[in-house]
Structures are given as structure tokens and as C-alpha cells.
Amino acid sequence: MRSFSPKSVTAIRGMQAPQRLEKKDGLRRPFCLPLIFTFFVSGFAYAQSSVYRCGNEYTNQVTSDKAGACKLVSAVTVTVIPAPQSVRGVPATTPTTSTSQEQKKKDADARWILETELKKLEARQTDLKTEYNQGAPEKQGAESRNHQKYVDRIAQLKDSLSRNADDIAGLRRELERLSANR
């Protein structure tokens, strides 16, 4: 196998070999870059002093009374997020207390809403029971040809009945709770 020198390779390609960049004082630029980089890295490394954790507090100055409770934190960058500045001149809002009349009105509205929902659910429950027909509902459309669709609809009706019964029980508990608070 034949080896080529870099000059012969560039001559083959028809290009000139790159010339090294030199400053007037004779120092090469590539040599200066590592020196500059080393200078900056050493400056940053010097800025990273030892950090100690004393309970929930992080510090780089441990006092003699806290020395036993502080532990050195190694290879961890600690980020400090300042607390947001409070807006001065704006009074803090206090929750308003409602009068007994307002509270009675709110309770009456809540009771009315719960009773209305209970009536809707009870009407829905009777419709579902009628459609369910004690586990033997009438077949609809394609269910006469496809028995699995019929079985799936029966299971869906049964689930709807139990879910609706649970909702009715929950509303009744809420109404009892409202009555007990009076």
C-alpha cells in the first residue's frame, strides 16, 4: 500500500496546502486559544467554593455553632430563586363573610338544584327499568340477526341502571346533609 504525504494529496487535488496563521510577534493563534481557555476555566473553577447544607439552608460560610449540623455538598449546582416581590399599596383581600340571609338563600338554591337533579335521575331510572324489562328487553333492528349486539345492549342497560341508582343515592345523601345543616 502506498502512502501519500499531505502536500502530495493536496497537489493531487489541485489545491494549495493551508498556511498557518502567525501574528507579528511570531506566536501561532492556535497556541493562544488554549491559553485563553485555560485562563477562563481556572477563573470559573475558583469562583465555585465549597457549599454546605445546614438543614434547609445552603451556605458557603459555616459558623462554629452550626458546624455539627452542616454537611458538605459535593458536585451539586445550587440554584437560588428569589421570592417574588409583593406589590405595596394594594390591600390584601379578606374573604367576605356572608350574612345569614345570604347563606339561607344559597342553601335554598343548592337544595332546589339537587331536588331538580334528583327528579331527572328518578325519571331516567324508570325509563331504564322499562327498557330493561327485567333483563329481557325487546330486540331492536339488527339484534334479531346478531345476538351479540343484543347481549351487549343488555349489559349496557344493566350498567346504566346501576350507575343511575348510585347517582340517585349520592344526591339523596347530599340532600340529607343539607337538611342536617339547617
Side-chain angles (χ1 to χ4, degrees):
M1 185 167 185
R2 189 171 181 200
S3 63
F4 294 100
S5 68
K7 287 184 179 181
S8 62
V9 171
T10 55
I12 292 172
R13 290 187 192 154
M15 299 179 1
Q16 293 181 353
Q19 297 179 1
R20 296 184 186 248
L21 301 173
E22 293 186 11
K23 291 180 114 181
K24 292 179 182 178
D25 59 359
L27 290 176
R28 293 183 203 154
R29 286 187 186 166
F31 178 71
C32 294
L33 290 176
L35 284 178
I36 294 170
F37 179 74
T38 306
F39 174 73
F40 280 116
V41 170
S42 64
F44 289 124
Y46 180 72
Q48 295 275 337
S49 62
S50 299
V51 177
Y52 297 90
R53 180 178 181 189
C54 305
N56 289 334
E57 179 184 358
Y58 289 90
T59 184
N60 59 354
Q61 298 175 348
V62 180
T63 59
S64 59
D65 58 331
K66 292 184 180 180
C70 296
K71 294 181 181 178
L72 178 65
V73 178
S74 61
V76 176
T77 303
V78 178
T79 304
V80 178
I81 301 172
Q85 299 292 328
S86 62
V87 179
R88 298 191 190 273
V90 178
T93 58
T94 57
T96 58
T97 57
S98 60
T99 62
S100 62
Q101 286 292 345
E102 291 174 356
Q103 189 61 43
K104 285 181 182 178
K105 186 176 184 302
K106 288 179 184 178
D107 289 344
D109 288 346
R111 184 169 186 77
W112 179 80
I113 291 170
L114 288 174
E115 287 173 349
T116 305
E117 286 296 317
L118 182 61
K119 287 178 187 175
K120 287 180 186 176
L121 287 176
E122 286 174 341
R124 172 90 173 122
Q125 186 76 0
T126 57
D127 291 344
L128 285 172
K129 281 183 181 179
T130 304
E131 187 179 351
Y132 186 63
N133 194 20
Q134 297 177 353
E138 295 181 17
K139 292 186 177 186
Q140 298 175 345
E143 292 176 349
S144 60
R145 293 185 305 268
N146 189 349
H147 185 69
Q148 186 60 43
K149 284 186 179 182
Y150 180 70
V151 171
D152 291 344
R153 188 168 69 93
I154 292 173
Q156 184 181 11
L157 284 172
K158 191 174 183 181
D159 289 343
S160 296
L161 275 168
S162 66
R163 197 174 326 115
N164 202 39
D166 291 342
D167 292 345
I168 289 172
L171 282 177
R172 286 188 177 145
R173 280 192 304 270
E174 282 294 314
L175 284 170
E176 289 174 8
R177 188 182 62 81
L178 280 178
S179 298
N181 288 341
R182 280 187 165 187

